[in-house]
């Protein structure tokens, strides 16, 4: 045994005990004839004490140690004269009697502390050192706990975790697949799954009834801050259920996680339809930690020769409480904000409802005080409030107002990371039209069932068909989404035809699922959570990278192991593939 | 809600209750004016009863149903007149009042029963129907339970499950990697991990202290019955431990699994060194459900002009209790058995120790009764026993005797699948010599630490160096293996040099690990279990395929989804790869 205790567990009750500890040298301080050393492991920090007068040799040894050396010591637990209230072991220290160096260390390229001096690139290259930092390790501990508690909750409710294959077939639909050449089947490729969607539906056909899996999925997409080429899903499916059963089960899971991990009781989740979410928040993943909902005022704007609003399909406003006193500079900042290319508004109209009850807007030359009063009333504004208004094409403008709303929420401190607001968004449209290609795509995926009452619209007005689809949203982040599936092969065929698949194409790509559906598919539905995002929300992180042990950068590279990389010619020969010279850099 | 109860839960206590069930039609029997129908779901089977006299229409509906149709019924629970003691719901039946067809089914290509009439190929193509069979589903339920209980045990002991990447770099050492072309880095490839070995060691360098992961691993090897291109490991690593700590922890895990899942108390595992295992069983994964150990008798054989033994490096025997009465035919069968190409013995010598005390052998013309007596004594044979003897090169002959021993064990019914004998095999050789290439390879992997006392032999006699490596064996199956790792970068360099790596090559392949080791690596070690094999042993299966939901065949194909497959030219162009015409079929 290398140790009798960890560096995080000794307390006053252990005084006078003889102990053996092992860990990393975190700090060394010399004071007079004393040397104090912080010994660190995953569990905490314990102070070691060396007294020159008691043992000169040992003290000399301690003085020769460097940061991040790995040592083992034995000694006696003593009460500290000056206690450290910031750490759980702060009441005690170890008077060391023997010291063994288990491994030396070079000086690390950055300090192993919460606020490190390592830049992002350096930390990724030396990720094994970055992972020594408490903040990073705690994120991974949280991830472990969330995965474990998820499994416990689902196991208790009869869900079986079934592993589905990683080497599957490629489907041209959806995002780009990573593909894997097969040596045993030259010219053919496996694909890595974007999700186990088809397999979990097959498991329902097999009668598994309640399936889940915490599983890696893959997408060869251009990366953004919150995307990784490999990511983890909590993938779930149930048979003989309707939408209500699924929502109850996974609302329960989320409440369980908040309760067991953060000791927070979350009330029943409010539900909002997709249409209402867009109307009130301009988003299908509204941040409901604060209200400031969108108000349409288009009908209050015409007839005053203001071209911007007159030509707009939609005019909408948000009301920022207590912001009437915003300065010119602050208003200019907001105007610049909405004009950013990624938001794309042309300008911002404001209306101040001053404390004295007077109204002042940037469109005073077009609108009377009477007009503006109506706007303020519609927005439920009070004296002291600031109304911000955008006009244009409906959906685009709603999205811009959404961004502006989030920005105001942030400025007003209404988006506290420790305040959790969960909700369900329901009744998503089944289809989404690609105007350029003039065809419909499945908004969720081609197996999502339409609402029975909307099925007749599949022919007459496909865009208006609502799906039995739902998203779980926490604090403006889409944590999970799912749907009730089509289990009738006739309806599935209809769906493929609406999506513009020829029968052969549908057969080629999804034939095995459609065949399976002919042998007694039960009604079923499910949901998939993005574990990375779920953990990020729990941890209050801005990027999912911080809860992934070994993430890749925006070019899909692992900086630490330097992957991807060239492979040996022999390996390519065996696979029967040749590198195209055109593509090589 | 589609159901108030499952098909497995109703009992006499539920009599007169109004229930709703949903499931698959498993059997239909007509008797007089009655129709009986077995309704099946994952949880069991419930008998439904329809009476022509009570409701002709409903009975007609029931008679039109087919096998594997999905239906929903409501009805009243009644006591059965003729009970079925073979199923838990056998005391009751449902008098059906309403029947809804949820989905029809074509006639399945094979029967959904324990003993199905579907051949292997048909079952794999229609795996979603095969999975409806109780026996197959039960294997996957067992797999779920084993994984869950493993997580529970390890979580309780402070192990953190950390996900390591699936898209990593290729290492030419070891088995062949599957590789994945990178679109964002043309000409470069990711590789799929054969194990998370390097990452788990890096996590130890990071101070994670106790890591585990139940994780998919990949090997592009030619496949055998018990190999799959993707397989699942229970991968574990601990810091500040010696071999004893690791063995205790994972012996504990195994006992926990037997206790919690099979309600079996396993005593402390015996331990045997690799050398003893080879000497006594001719195998590094001995089946210790029965004794019949190997006895060397070479020293008792010379001087009698029997060339086969005189020229043999090794002569060994096993003693089969009570088999002296084996007929000529039985002995011929055994001779044929050892002469099979995959075993490769030239012949088999037998010695009968007859019940009357007389001795009769196939080498009577060379050896006196006195000689044979000595052999029998050495083998602890009793009257009635049969001694089987092979001679030749030591290791080869021991392995042949191992096969013969297992064959005899099977013939004598000594290998009961419900009798579990676990053990540790320790002190494996560190290195293995490839005589053809005249170089040493790591028997386990290049990070395995030699026993400290054997380190001097690294220069003088590398083949004799023993490693701190161990395997867990259950009933002759290697369930897991691991080692204490080298944590000293100097010793690691030495090891690479013994393995014939140039310094550049070592740096290129394992540079990031060797670099990491310079920043304070703790002493550490671990183990990895093959989950597929572990489940197979628990389930008493002959092939790991039966505990995998969607396995691949021996050509690495998924017959159900027909993967791997061609991909579109566009996809290859994006990746900058061209298919070599030479390789295409």
């Amino acid at each position: 045994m290398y140790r009798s205790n960890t560096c995080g567990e000794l307390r006053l009750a252990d005084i006078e005990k003889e102990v053996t500890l092992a860990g990393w040298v975190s700090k060394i301080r010399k004071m007079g004839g004393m040397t104090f050393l912080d010994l660190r492991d995953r569990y905490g920090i314990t102070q070691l004490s060396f007294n020159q007068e008691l043992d000169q040799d040992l003290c000399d040894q301690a003085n020769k140690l460097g940061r991040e050396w790995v040592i083992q010591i034995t000694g006696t637990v003593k009460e500290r004269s000056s206690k450290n209230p910031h750490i759980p072991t702060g009441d005690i220290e170890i008077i060391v009697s023997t010291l063994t160096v288990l491994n030396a260390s070079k000086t690390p390229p950055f300090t192993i502390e919460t606020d490190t001096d390592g830049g992002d690139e350096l930390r990724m290259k030396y990720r094994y050192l970055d992972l020594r930092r408490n903040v990073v390790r705690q994120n991974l501990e949280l991830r472990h706990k969330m995965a474990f508690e998820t499994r416990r909750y689902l196991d208790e409710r009869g869900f079986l975790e079934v592993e589905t294959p990683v080497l599957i077939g490629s489907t041209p639909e959806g995002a780009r697949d990573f593909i894997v050449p097969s040596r045993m089947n030259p010219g053919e490729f496996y694909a890595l799954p974007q999700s186990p969607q088809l397999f979990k539906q097959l498991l329902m056909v097999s009668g598994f009834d309640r399936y889940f899996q915490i599983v890696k999925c893959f997408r060869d997409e251009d990366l953004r801050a919150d995307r990784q080429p490999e990511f983890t899903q909590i993938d779930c499916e149930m048979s003989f259920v309707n939408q209500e059963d699924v929502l109850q089960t996974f609302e329960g899971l989320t409440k369980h996680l908040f309760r067991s991990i953060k000791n927070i009781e979350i009330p029943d989740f409010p539900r909002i339809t997709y249409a209402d979410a867009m109307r009130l928040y301009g988003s299908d993943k509204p941040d409901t930690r604060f209200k400031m909902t969108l108000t349409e005022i288009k009908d209050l704007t015409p007839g005053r020769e203001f071209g911007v609003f007159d030509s707009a399909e939609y005019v909408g406003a948000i009301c920022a409480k207590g912001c009437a006193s915003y300065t010119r500079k602050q208003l200019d900042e907001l105007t610049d904000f909405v004009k950013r290319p990624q938001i794309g508004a042309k300008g911002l109209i404001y209306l101040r409802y001053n404390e004295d009850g007077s109204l002042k807007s940037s469109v005073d030359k077009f609108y009377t005080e009477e007009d503006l009063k109506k706007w303020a009333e519609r927005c439920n504004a009070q004296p002291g409030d600031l109304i911000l208004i955008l006009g244009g094409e409906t959906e685009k403008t709603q999205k811009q107002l959404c961004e502006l709303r989030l920005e105001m929420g942030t400025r007003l401190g209404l988006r506290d990371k420790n305040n959790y607001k969960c909700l369900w968004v329901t009744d998503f449209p089944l289809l989404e039209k690609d105007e350029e290609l003039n065809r419909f795509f499945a908004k969720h995926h081609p197996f999502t069932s339409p609402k029975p009452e909307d099925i007749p619209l599949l022919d007459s007005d496909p865009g208006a068909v609502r799906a039995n689809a739902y998203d779980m949203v926490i604090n403006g982040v889409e944590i999970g989404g799912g749907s009730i599936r089509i289990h009738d092969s006739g309806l599935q065929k209809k769906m493929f035809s609406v999506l513009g698949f020829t029968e052969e194409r549908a057969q080629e790509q999804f034939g095995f699922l459609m065949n399976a559906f002919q042998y007694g598919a039960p009604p079923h539905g499910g949901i998939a959570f993005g574990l990375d995002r779920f953990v990020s929300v729990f941890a209050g992180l801005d990027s999912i990278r911080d809860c992934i042990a070994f993430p890749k950068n925006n070019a899909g590279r692992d900086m630490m192991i330097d992957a991807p990389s060239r492979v040996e010619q022999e390996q390519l020969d065996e696979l029967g593939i040749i590198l195209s010279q055109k593509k090589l850099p």
Side-chain angles (χ1 to χ4, degrees), chain A:
Chain A
M1 292 291 259
Y2 274 93
R3 57 189 173 191
S4 60
N5 296 82
T6 70
C7 296
E9 67 180 327
L10 295 170
R11 299 286 184 276
L12 280 178
D14 300 301
I15 293 257
E16 297 307 328
K17 275 190 194 153
E18 185 80 8
V19 296
T20 305
L21 300 185
W24 286 261
V25 173
S26 179
K27 262 188 201 151
I28 307 176
R29 291 182 308 279
K30 292 177 207 173
M31 288 174 63
M34 299 291 293
T35 295
F36 297 103
L37 196 150
D38 279 355
L39 190 67
R40 186 196 68 231
D41 66 12
R42 175 182 132 196
Y43 310 95
I45 282 180
T46 298
Q47 177 165 298
L48 311 181
S49 152
F50 299 83
N51 187 335
Q52 207 173 289
E53 283 180 21
L54 292 177
D55 193 333
Q56 178 77 46
D57 276 1
L58 196 65
C59 204
D60 287 350
Q61 274 184 60
N63 288 335
K64 278 182 205 140
L65 299 173
R67 278 187 172 220
E68 302 307 319
W69 286 41
V70 187
I71 63 168
Q72 181 188 39
I73 61 97
T74 57
T76 311
V77 184
K78 297 280 184 189
E79 185 164 2
R80 265 160 85 157
S81 47
S82 66
K83 296 183 179 171
N84 178 349
H86 303 298
I87 58 172
T89 63
D91 290 342
I92 59 98
E93 64 182 354
I94 314 290
I95 310 299
V96 176
S97 52
T98 66
L99 165 65
T100 310
V101 173
L102 297 175
N103 224 335
S105 171
K106 295 200 328 198
T107 305
F110 51 83
T111 55
I112 311 297
E113 309 219 323
T114 301
D115 296 310
T116 180
D117 52 357
D120 204 46
E121 208 159 312
L122 202 61
R123 291 195 299 110
M124 284 305 138
K125 187 172 172 196
Y126 293 92
R127 182 64 165 173
Y128 48 87
L129 298 179
D130 195 33
L131 288 170
R132 284 188 190 162
R133 294 165 58 225
N134 269 336
V135 277
V136 185
R137 200 201 51 247
Q138 279 161 3
N139 292 338
L140 293 174
E141 286 175 350
L142 173 65
R143 187 181 181 109
H144 161 78
K145 268 188 223 153
M146 288 181 72
F148 186 75
E149 288 300 332
T150 297
R151 288 191 163 98
R152 190 205 301 270
Y153 176 90
L154 293 173
D155 175 76
E156 279 170 5
R157 278 151 191 83
F159 284 81
L160 294 174
E161 185 161 25
V162 179
E163 293 178 60
T164 55
V166 177
L167 296 170
I168 65 167
S170 187
T171 51
E173 200 67 1
R176 211 183 277 107
D177 284 327
F178 282 104
I179 60 173
V180 183
S182 166
R183 184 181 52 86
M184 295 178 80
N185 305 278
E188 297 191 325
F189 294 80
Y190 301 102
L192 304 181
Q194 295 182 27
S195 90
Q197 183 65 34
L198 300 179
F199 290 96
K200 71 175 174 176
Q201 292 196 244
L202 289 174
L203 286 171
M204 293 306 107
V205 174
S206 299
F208 272 69
D209 204 83
R210 294 179 158 217
Y211 145 93
F212 82 102
Q213 189 181 189
I214 300 185
V215 61
K216 274 278 172 75
C217 300
F218 306 85
R219 258 178 226 173
D220 186 11
E221 283 179 335
D222 297 321
L223 304 172
R224 298 195 312 246
D226 62 341
R227 285 267 172 89
Q228 285 277 316
E230 51 181 293
F231 54 98
T232 305
Q233 276 189 2
I234 305 172
D235 193 49
C236 310
E237 197 79 5
M238 306 168 78
S239 287
F240 301 115
V241 290
N242 53 35
Q243 177 169 314
E244 189 59 32
D245 300 320
V246 178
L247 299 194
Q248 288 296 342
T249 303
F250 294 98
E251 184 167 325
L253 167 64
T254 305
K255 286 179 180 176
H256 171 76
L257 292 176
F258 273 107
R259 188 180 306 121
S260 60
I261 292 170
K262 298 186 87 77
N263 202 20
I264 294 177
E265 286 296 332
I266 301 281
D268 289 348
F269 293 14
R271 297 183 190 180
I272 186 170
T273 63
Y274 172 84
D276 282 346
M278 290 307 293
R279 187 173 57 80
L280 293 171
Y281 298 95
S283 167
D284 59 3
K285 42 178 197 280
D287 183 345
T288 52
R289 281 174 294 186
F290 62 107
K291 202 154 181 305
M292 208 191 288
T293 46
L294 280 52
T295 305
E296 179 161 9
I297 59 166
K298 167 76 188 174
D299 60 305
L300 303 178
T301 60
R304 296 295 186 267
E305 308 287 311
F306 185 50
V308 175
F309 285 177
D310 287 352
S311 65
E313 184 189 2
Y314 169 94
V315 179
I318 57 172
C319 173
K321 294 277 154 210
C323 294
S325 57
Y326 260 36
T327 61
R328 184 75 242 167
K329 186 163 162 282
Q330 283 172 304
L331 291 167
D332 285 348
E333 277 170 14
L334 291 178
T335 306
D336 289 346
F337 175 82
V338 297
K339 282 170 131 179
R340 284 186 200 175
Q342 63 268 40
I343 297 183
K346 297 230 174 62
L348 175 67
I349 308 300
Y350 69 80
L351 165 58
R352 284 198 178 105
Y353 194 166
N354 294 317
E355 290 287 358
D356 63 7
S358 67
L359 290 155
K360 169 85 191 114
S361 84
S362 50
V363 286
D364 281 355
K365 59 178 157 171
F366 299 99
Y367 294 97
T368 64
E369 178 134 4
E370 203 53 34
D371 292 332
L372 301 178
K373 192 112 205 168
K374 283 186 190 149
W375 298 4
E377 270 167 20
R378 173 76 61 84
C379 293
N380 282 320
Q382 304 297 319
D385 292 352
L386 174 70
I387 295 172
L388 299 167
I389 308 165
L390 294 174
E393 191 267 308
T394 307
E395 200 176 322
K396 223 166 164 182
T397 309
Q398 286 174 336
K399 284 183 180 167
Q400 291 162 354
L401 276 169
C402 165
E403 294 297 331
L404 183 61
R405 174 180 175 272
L406 294 176
E407 171 67 16
M408 288 310 297
T410 302
R411 283 176 181 243
L412 294 171
L414 302 172
R415 303 178 72 193
D416 176 5
K417 281 180 175 169
N418 296 311
N419 176 22
Y420 293 96
K421 292 295 175 199
C422 309
L423 82 158
W424 288 109
V425 180
T426 63
D427 296 9
F428 275 81
L430 182 70
L431 302 160
E432 202 165 31
K433 191 163 192 174
D434 184 317
E435 296 292 347
E436 245 169 81
L437 297 175
N438 193 33
R439 59 168 274 210
F440 283 101
F441 284 88
K443 187 157 174 95
H444 196 62
H445 58 57
F447 316 110
T448 301
S449 73
K451 293 214 169 277
E453 61 270 32
D454 289 0
I455 290 180
L457 295 173
L458 274 174
D459 288 313
S460 55
D461 185 6
V465 177
R466 292 164 306 155
N468 281 319
Y470 33 79
D471 277 358
M472 185 188 287
V473 175
I474 305 180
N475 292 2
V477 179
E478 180 205 326
I479 294 295
S483 66
I484 298 298
R485 325 300 181 185
I486 299 169
H487 67 277
D488 176 80
S489 53
L491 183 56
Q492 186 67 64
K493 267 187 201 156
K494 174 83 199 162
M495 182 70 181
F496 280 131
S497 113
V498 173
L499 293 172
F501 281 54
T502 61
E503 229 170 280
E504 294 95 56
R505 174 107 188 271
Q507 189 59 36
E508 199 184 299
Q509 277 185 42
F510 303 112
F512 60 97
L513 188 67
M514 286 165 78
N515 290 343
F517 276 12
Q518 299 183 335
Y519 291 98
H524 61 289
I527 194 167
F529 293 89
L531 179 61
D532 308 285
R533 284 202 205 155
F534 214 160
V535 177
S536 298
V537 165
F538 263 59
L541 302 175
D542 293 319
S543 164
I544 60 169
R545 257 189 236 174
D546 295 325
C547 68
I548 296 172
F550 301 102
K552 293 186 175 57
N553 72 9
N554 279 350
R557 296 199 73 81
D558 183 322
M559 299 299 285
M560 182 186 68
I561 63 171
D562 197 25
S565 62
R566 296 291 178 116
V567 297
E568 299 189 3
Q569 187 59 44
E570 201 188 332
Q571 215 167 344
L572 298 179
D573 293 345
E574 271 195 318
L575 295 168
I577 64 179
I578 296 167
L579 300 181
S580 151
Q581 293 305 316
K582 269 191 303 192
K583 267 283 183 171
L584 294 182

